């Protein structure tokens, strides 16, 4: 007898619940800050049972790590404008839009808080750096293949991304001229 196994549909209920829970976390961080809410409050805000959160993530720390990594690693495709300067300007502008958007500051604050909250938080920070470095390396390798001199990925992190993150964390404005200036100084 052939029993059909249920197939998971991408974007089905599981994805919807995940998105609702992630949004509830970012909303609560925006309103109250890190560490000032419970799994029960996240569940109520997301419209799910707290048992669903525990079943999927295990604990609050794992959920917060997942939210930070998912939000900060979500990206537009790496730009390919035909020049390193154009790619870096486009990429920096995309990151600036992401981190100054409605959830951007809350997610950055969460990432900073997690990075000092034990081994799991340190691992989340390492995972985020590894993913950002991988993304950047593809752009930099493409530039080198075109014969352009390209900095290494850590120089891009240090001279473009880090200053933007710091400005957002401290409530300072990120103007297009400032973002372009970061790219100009690096190149």
């Amino acid at each position: 007898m052939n029993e059909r196994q249920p197939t998971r549909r991408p974007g089905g209920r599981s994805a919807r619940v995940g998105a609702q829970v992630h949004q509830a976390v970012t909303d609560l961080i925006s309103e109250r800050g890190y560490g000032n809410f419970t799994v029960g409050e996240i569940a109520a805000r997301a419209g799910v049972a707290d048992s669903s959160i525990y079943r999927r993530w295990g604990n609050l720390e794992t959920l917060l790590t997942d939210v930070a990594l998912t939000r900060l690693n979500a990206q537009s495709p790496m730009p390919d404008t035909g020049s390193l300067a154009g790619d870096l300007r486009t990429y920096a502008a995309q990151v600036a839009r992401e981190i100054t958007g409605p959830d951007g500051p809350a997610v950055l604050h969460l990432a900073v808080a997690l990075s000092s909250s034990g081994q799991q938080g340190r691992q989340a920070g390492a995972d985020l750096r590894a993913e950002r470095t991988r993304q950047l390396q593809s752009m930099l390798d493409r530039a080198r293949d075109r014969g352009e001199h390209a900095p290494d990925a850590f120089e891009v992190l240090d001279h473009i991304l880090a200053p933007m993150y710091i400005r957002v964390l401290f409530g300072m404005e990120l103007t297009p001229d400032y973002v372009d200036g970061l790219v100009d100084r690096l190149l």
Side-chain angles (χ1 to χ4, degrees):
M1 177 152 83
N2 263 349
E3 286 188 37
R4 289 187 65 172
Q5 294 294 322
T7 57
R8 291 192 157 234
R9 292 173 296 147
R13 183 180 186 283
S14 180
R16 195 171 49 255
V17 166
Q20 290 168 315
V21 170
H22 278 218
Q23 189 61 52
V25 168
T26 30
D27 290 347
L28 286 165
I29 289 169
S30 291
E31 293 167 16
R32 301 183 192 174
Y34 177 77
N36 296 315
F37 50 86
T38 66
V39 168
E41 290 170 309
I42 295 167
R45 175 81 56 111
V48 301
D50 29 350
S51 60
S52 295
I53 292 174
Y54 285 113
R55 187 171 39 258
R56 185 166 181 172
W57 286 281
N59 59 44
L60 181 59
E61 191 79 7
T62 301
L63 169 58
L64 296 175
T65 300
D66 184 51
V67 170
L69 288 173
T70 300
R71 294 289 177 105
L72 289 173
N73 281 334
Q75 91 255 347
S76 309
M78 291 307 285
D80 188 0
T81 65
S83 75
L84 179 59
D87 291 350
L88 285 172
R89 277 190 181 81
T90 302
Y91 178 71
Q94 288 172 348
V95 170
R97 278 191 302 277
E98 290 168 9
I99 64 175
T100 59
D103 297 334
V107 173
L108 284 179
H109 283 283
L110 173 59
V112 169
L114 284 171
S115 70
S116 62
S117 67
Q119 178 56 36
Q120 189 172 8
R122 285 189 296 278
Q123 185 60 52
D127 292 347
L128 173 62
R129 283 188 305 280
E131 180 59 23
R132 283 288 192 203
T133 302
R134 186 195 62 73
Q135 294 165 8
L136 291 168
Q137 197 59 57
S138 68
M139 179 188 351
L140 299 170
D141 289 346
R142 201 172 47 240
R144 285 187 192 99
D145 291 345
R146 289 189 301 256
E148 295 180 84
H149 172 72
D152 71 29
F154 285 106
E155 289 177 295
V156 176
L157 289 170
D158 287 342
H159 297 284
I160 296 176
L161 296 180
M164 290 194 307
Y165 289 175
I166 292 297
R167 285 179 79 93
V168 170
L169 286 169
F170 287 101
M172 299 165 69
E173 188 176 14
L174 273 186
T175 65
D177 287 341
Y178 175 78
V179 173
D180 282 346
L182 293 173
V183 173
D184 292 341
R185 282 189 291 282
L186 174 63
L187 295 178

